[in-house]
Amino acid sequence: MSQTVRVRFAPSPTGALHIGGVRTALYNYLFARQHGGKMLLRIEDTDSNRFVPGAEEYIIESLQWLGIEIDEGIGAWNKTSGRLTKELCGQYGENGPYRQSERREIYHRYIKQLLDSGNAYYAFDTPQELEQARQQTPNFQYDARTRTTMQNSLTLPAEEVQARLERGEQYVVRFKVGPNEDIHVHDLIRGEVIINSNILDDKVLYKSADDLPTYHLANIVDDHLMAITHVIRGEEWLPSAPLHVLLYRAFGWQDTQPAFAHLPLLLKPDGNGKLSKRDGDRLGFPVFPLEFHNEKDGTVSSGYRESGYLPEAVINFLALLGWHNTGDQEIYSIAELIEQFSLDRVSKAGARFDYEKGKWFNHQYLQRLSNQQLATLFMPTLAAHNHASEDIDKVAQVVGLVKDRINFPQELWEQASFFFEAPATYDEKSLKKRWKEDSPKHLSELIELLQSVPCERWTERGETKEDGTQGWYLDEVVMPWINSHDYGVGNVMNAFRICLVGAARGPHIWAITDILGKEETLNRVRKALTEIKS
């Protein structure tokens, strides 16, 4: 830790950013911030066949929504100017370019270095020849035991190799892995990992067909040139770590090799196996941070933002999927996560993706919003139901009465629609259970009683109770009337609620009438008496 910590998040623009990738970005960010380091965003777009238009912009927008700040690279936040450099996908930093497709000439130099040092070689094998080798040799892999039988610069005369290159024959450059060597990889999460080189194949580092390196070569070169000190990435890259150690050694960079930390997988909610989009579609939850429109196939995938999640809730939820702190604390601000996060408390085992717990986190964060903030989030839903002109103060008042019942802002309409629209229908179960034979008589008398209450007293609060809470003036008018006639409080008030709400639900009855007002309250009771009777 004597040098400045530098980490990188390096996704491929091949589609929407998976929530597992978001967690990787988050852990990199927390680690960098805790150690006063820098977070880089590099786009690994060497696989041109899988490139999806719009994916790069999507990645940057996702990180911005979540508050994961990029210090250097693609879409980096320029702290000097206080804005994104150039455009959304602009680049900022002295180690660019930060798209691998723009670094071809850099990779050419290092491919040549490996070839010249004898650590790599040309291979001209055609797809047909490779397939024939697989059929002839069970469990065939291109390695020290088989490469002497193949068409490569280790078996062909130098003159023929040169002639093939000059003719423009397609080739790949493979890394030359020595036989029977124990390769040691120290992982900050998993400890010492030892892999024998006999199980490694001579990985392809470069393909002449598209003039681009593969992930392995580009990854090592970029991490070295960008001075990355810690590589924090998913568990799926652990089998590649021995090859990467060998590449660092081949280049003579072993003294500046970054520390490795391989994060546990996010597992399916209902069993083993890696979490996939199919799981989200099947169980009804998003696996991407934002809604994604795939321009290639026209599909649309749901996102956490559009589903009503708050970014702070998503961050908190993801942080605890694989990392645990001491104690029972579950709600963490980003500042607390930065202060307390540590790789030595990241689990080795996969983390089950409990999407119901994700809803719980969102509920907790919604409750921490002010009524005014939550009302602002609710306004688009109101607009969709033709109530865009509602007064924000009224909406905030309504929200305060029902927000403890919701996990997402859009659920407010289900809980509070009756504040904005009179019931069009009345719930049959509520009527069967709560509407009595004498309900029309009771409610007709209640109308007369409420009609006699002056408008200026309609919303007044009543006397302070023994527990310190303040009652409602209307309660002090209606309750004595019910008791004097022995009508039964439940019988009258349940039927009254059905008239106002359309069902036996909702907050305190006088809180409802307070917002509806005298005229609307009485009109709803009259309407219900007519419609329910008929």
Side-chain angles (χ1 to χ4, degrees), residues 432-475:
K432 186 174 182 179
K433 188 174 182 179
R434 307 293 186 186
W435 193 269
K436 307 299 182 182
E437 183 178 353
D438 49 4
S439 290
K441 174 180 181 297
H442 296 164
L443 292 171
S444 296
E445 293 180 16
L446 179 60
I447 289 175
E448 292 184 15
L449 176 65
L450 294 176
Q451 186 69 57
S452 67
V453 177
C455 290
E456 61 270 16
R457 305 212 65 181
W458 185 261
T459 60
E460 279 186 17
R461 302 306 296 264
E463 296 178 354
T464 301
K465 301 179 181 179
E466 292 182 1
D467 61 4
T469 61
Q470 197 170 16
W472 297 84
Y473 174 74
L474 288 179
D475 207 45

Side-chain angles (χ1 to χ4, degrees), residues 52-189:
V52 173
E56 183 178 309
E57 293 84 353
Y58 175 90
I59 291 167
I60 297 169
E61 187 179 354
S62 297
L63 297 179
Q64 288 180 345
W65 177 67
L66 290 163
I68 298 175
E69 297 176 317
I70 303 302
D71 302 300
E72 182 179 327
I74 301 295
W77 188 262
N78 188 329
K79 300 297 178 62
T80 302
S81 64
R83 58 181 175 77
L84 282 174
T85 59
K86 296 182 181 178
E87 64 282 344
L88 178 67
C89 296
Q91 304 188 30
Y92 176 71
E94 299 176 353
N95 299 286
Y98 296 91
R99 293 186 190 90
Q100 289 186 337
S101 61
E102 299 171 1
R103 298 172 61 84
R104 294 173 193 261
E105 295 305 315
I106 296 174
Y107 303 133
H108 287 169
R109 296 200 303 269
Y110 290 99
I111 285 291
K112 185 177 184 302
Q113 180 178 330
L114 290 176
L115 288 166
D116 291 345
S117 65
N119 286 293
Y121 59 92
Y122 296 104
F124 299 96
D125 313 282
T126 65
Q128 294 77 16
E129 289 169 336
L130 289 170
E131 181 57 33
Q132 184 179 3
R134 293 187 189 100
Q135 292 178 0
Q136 292 175 348
T137 305
N139 302 316
F140 171 83
Q141 72 172 11
Y142 211 119
D143 58 19
R145 291 165 294 184
T146 61
R147 62 191 175 215
T148 56
T149 65
M150 306 301 290
Q151 299 290 306
N152 56 59
S153 58
L154 300 177
T155 61
L156 298 172
E159 298 79 7
E160 183 177 345
V161 171
Q162 186 61 35
R164 289 189 178 210
L165 293 174
E166 290 176 356
R167 287 198 301 268
E169 286 190 24
Q170 287 194 4
Y171 65 88
V172 299
V173 173
R174 289 183 178 272
F175 185 66
K176 187 179 179 182
V177 178
N180 199 31
E181 176 189 353
D182 284 338
I183 304 164
H184 294 253
V185 179
H186 181 72
D187 187 276
L188 295 175
I189 296 171

Side-chain angles (χ1 to χ4, degrees), residues 389-409:
S389 61
E390 289 289 346
D391 177 67
I392 190 70
D393 291 331
K394 173 191 172 182
V395 175
Q397 189 179 359
V398 168
V399 162
L401 295 173
V402 300
K403 69 179 185 180
D404 61 330
R405 297 173 171 84
I406 65 162
N407 293 320
F408 306 104

Side-chain angles (χ1 to χ4, degrees), residues 27 124 221 293 318 382 391 394 452 528:
Y27 283 11
F124 299 96
V221 169
H293 297 252
L318 286 179
L382 286 175
D391 177 67
K394 173 191 172 182
S452 67

Side-chain angles (χ1 to χ4, degrees), residues 98-299:
Y98 296 91
R99 293 186 190 90
Q100 289 186 337
S101 61
E102 299 171 1
R103 298 172 61 84
R104 294 173 193 261
E105 295 305 315
I106 296 174
Y107 303 133
H108 287 169
R109 296 200 303 269
Y110 290 99
I111 285 291
K112 185 177 184 302
Q113 180 178 330
L114 290 176
L115 288 166
D116 291 345
S117 65
N119 286 293
Y121 59 92
Y122 296 104
F124 299 96
D125 313 282
T126 65
Q128 294 77 16
E129 289 169 336
L130 289 170
E131 181 57 33
Q132 184 179 3
R134 293 187 189 100
Q135 292 178 0
Q136 292 175 348
T137 305
N139 302 316
F140 171 83
Q141 72 172 11
Y142 211 119
D143 58 19
R145 291 165 294 184
T146 61
R147 62 191 175 215
T148 56
T149 65
M150 306 301 290
Q151 299 290 306
N152 56 59
S153 58
L154 300 177
T155 61
L156 298 172
E159 298 79 7
E160 183 177 345
V161 171
Q162 186 61 35
R164 289 189 178 210
L165 293 174
E166 290 176 356
R167 287 198 301 268
E169 286 190 24
Q170 287 194 4
Y171 65 88
V172 299
V173 173
R174 289 183 178 272
F175 185 66
K176 187 179 179 182
V177 178
N180 199 31
E181 176 189 353
D182 284 338
I183 304 164
H184 294 253
V185 179
H186 181 72
D187 187 276
L188 295 175
I189 296 171
R190 301 163 193 280
E192 198 78 7
V193 178
I194 303 174
I195 301 292
N196 189 274
S197 63
N198 283 343
I199 71 170
L200 302 179
D201 63 332
D202 289 358
K203 277 284 187 288
V204 173
L205 302 181
Y206 170 84
K207 297 173 289 182
S208 66
D210 57 10
D211 190 31
L212 281 172
T214 60
Y215 167 83
H216 303 289
L217 186 282
N219 170 278
I220 297 304
V221 169
D222 290 346
D223 283 348
H224 173 72
L225 296 180
M226 296 177 186
I228 299 302
T229 62
H230 296 77
V231 171
I232 304 171
R233 60 189 178 186
E235 177 186 321
E236 62 269 25
W237 293 110
L238 184 58
S240 300
L243 169 65
H244 297 169
V245 169
L246 291 177
L247 278 166
Y248 277 107
R249 190 171 72 190
F251 281 120
W253 299 337
Q254 56 267 44
D255 290 342
T256 57
Q257 174 185 303
F260 292 109
H262 290 88
L263 306 175
L265 294 175
L266 291 186
L267 303 177
K268 300 173 183 288
D270 52 359
N272 295 324
K274 187 177 179 180
L275 178 71
S276 70
K277 178 181 180 300
R278 197 173 296 110
D279 298 312
D281 293 341
R282 176 171 56 90
L283 298 173
F285 64 90
V287 296
F288 303 127
L290 313 180
E291 186 176 270
F292 184 70
H293 297 252
N294 192 320
E295 296 180 20
K296 274 193 171 180
D297 58 19
T299 58

Side-chain angles (χ1 to χ4, degrees), residues 322-391:
W323 171 79
H324 62 94
N325 201 1
T326 56
D328 299 324
Q329 181 178 351
E330 290 190 283
I331 302 299
Y332 289 87
S333 67
I334 190 66
E336 289 175 316
L337 287 172
I338 289 171
E339 180 185 359
Q340 300 183 42
F341 179 79
S342 61
L343 288 173
D344 60 359
R345 299 197 70 84
V346 173
S347 171
K348 299 179 182 68
R352 188 174 69 87
F353 194 84
D354 185 355
Y355 62 93
E356 291 295 339
K357 189 69 173 182
K359 293 180 182 178
W360 179 86
F361 274 107
N362 208 54
H363 174 84
Q364 299 302 315
Y365 276 87
L366 284 175
Q367 305 316 302
R368 285 164 168 75
L369 293 180
S370 69
N371 293 342
Q372 202 81 10
Q373 288 173 312
L374 192 49
T376 300
L377 295 178
F378 185 34
M379 291 306 289
T381 303
L382 286 175
H385 288 88
N386 301 314
H387 293 284
S389 61
E390 289 289 346
D391 177 67

